[in-house]
Amino acid sequence: FHVYTNNTERQADEILSVKYEDGRWSKPYYDCGGGNIWMLTYTVPFFGYENGTYFFKGTSGIDIDLRRVDIDQCPQKNSPSGAPQPLNIFAGTDKCKQRTTECTPIPGLGFRRGSYRCICRKGYYFPDTTIEQKYFNGSTLEEEYEKLMLNEYSTYSIPNSYECLPCAEGCDYCEDASPCVAALNWPMRTSILVLACAVIGLLPPAAVFTFKYQQVKVVRAASPALLRVIALGAFCIYCTSVVMYPPPSLYSCTARIWLREIGFSLTYGALMLKTW
């Protein structure tokens, strides 16, 4: 620092300058009995000058009200650009149950725990489908977790509490347990399977009959060789009902196409040869 006299000559000021590094930040504390608020203080010393010597005279501080400072308890996510994230000592202290929910911060609630929501992860839905707010309140989870730590009754430890429910098979997003793909009608599929198996069971005896009695005039007139080819084609066609009875997969869908096409070619090809 410098002062200027009337003759504009620069003279050194006899004040010891204090830098930012000379100050100290306090830890957050609750000002009980004063402002009754959470705050922190930055304090710097100041000095006097007498008889050519600097001496400590006291400190000067700035109190910062933390009521308007938000706490982000959610886990920090990596920046898409790879830039380093600012230090957040509260990150990862949320009480969301990470298996089915994830934390999203709520800005503007100030210096308080529970300033977040636990929303359902992808592939899960909120259990209460009748309400509009599809999330768990962070303040509620903080209260229940504190009760659990104090060995008091808490709903936080109840299995499946504050958890979302899985969507139906094939659903990435859902609002309830409704299926996103066509539901399988198992009674009807079972009935068709039983009928197909009954027909399949009759085909080998029919083929054996045409082979055993192929010299009989009636059987010989019907071309027993072509009859056996028709039976083989029918066997392939009805096998499609067997391979498609379980839930569809890549292999069953592929087998269904091959069996259907081969069976159709054998059956109707033999019929055309018979009528030719």
Side-chain angles (χ1 to χ4, degrees), residues 5-251:
T5 61
N6 292 333
N7 57 8
T8 68
E9 293 181 359
R10 178 177 293 183
Q11 297 179 359
D13 190 5
E14 296 179 351
I15 297 177
L16 181 63
S17 60
V18 179
K19 299 180 180 180
Y20 171 80
E21 292 77 9
D22 298 323
R24 292 293 182 269
W25 285 98
S26 70
K27 294 182 179 180
Y29 63 93
Y30 188 76
D31 186 20
C32 183
N36 292 324
I37 59 173
W38 282 96
M39 58 192 304
L40 54 81
T41 302
Y42 176 72
T43 307
V44 293
F46 61 90
F47 302 87
Y49 184 79
E50 187 176 357
N51 298 327
T53 305
Y54 292 101
F55 63 94
F56 175 76
K57 294 191 67 175
T59 60
S60 177
I62 301 176
D63 295 331
I64 300 177
D65 185 359
L66 294 179
R67 288 177 297 178
R68 298 184 180 275
V69 178
D70 291 333
I71 292 180
D72 186 359
Q73 295 180 250
C74 298
Q76 281 189 314
K77 298 181 180 179
N78 295 328
S79 174
S81 60
Q85 297 292 324
L87 177 63
N88 180 10
I89 61 175
F90 300 103
T93 60
D94 64 283
K95 302 305 182 294
C96 295
K97 297 193 174 181
Q98 301 297 327
R99 186 178 67 89
T100 61
T101 63
E102 59 183 352
C103 175
T104 56
I106 305 176
L109 295 184
F111 197 78
R112 51 172 292 184
R113 293 182 303 163
S115 301
Y116 57 86
R117 297 169 179 167
C118 298
I119 62 174
C120 296
R121 289 184 177 273
K122 180 181 178 181
Y124 294 87
Y125 69 93
F126 195 74
D128 191 348
T129 59
T130 60
I131 62 176
E132 295 182 0
Q133 298 177 346
K134 307 291 186 181
Y135 58 84
F136 299 105
N137 198 319
S139 58
T140 303
L141 271 76
E142 293 286 343
E143 293 175 3
E144 294 300 324
Y145 187 81
E146 184 176 3
K147 292 179 183 178
L148 181 63
M149 294 296 100
L150 296 175
N151 294 324
E152 299 177 0
Y153 173 77
S154 171
T155 57
Y156 190 86
S157 59
I158 298 177
N160 298 325
S161 63
Y162 306 108
E163 298 248 23
C164 293
L165 301 178
C167 297
E169 183 180 359
C171 302
D172 290 333
Y173 298 96
C174 61
E175 295 183 356
D176 51 33
S178 301
C180 297
V181 295
L184 300 179
N185 190 334
W186 289 106
M188 180 177 293
R189 293 171 70 87
T190 304
S191 302
I192 295 175
L193 177 66
V194 171
L195 179 61
C197 290
V199 175
I200 291 173
L202 294 175
L203 290 175
V208 172
F209 177 84
T210 59
F211 180 80
K212 184 176 181 180
Y213 298 100
Q214 60 183 340
Q215 299 302 326
V216 177
K217 184 177 181 180
V218 176
V219 177
R220 186 170 66 249
S223 301
L226 294 179
L227 291 177
R228 289 191 288 271
V229 173
I230 292 174
L232 178 60
F235 177 84
C236 294
I237 291 175
Y238 279 98
C239 279
T240 59
S241 299
V242 178
V243 298
M244 290 305 296
Y245 180 75
S249 65
L250 175 62
Y251 299 104

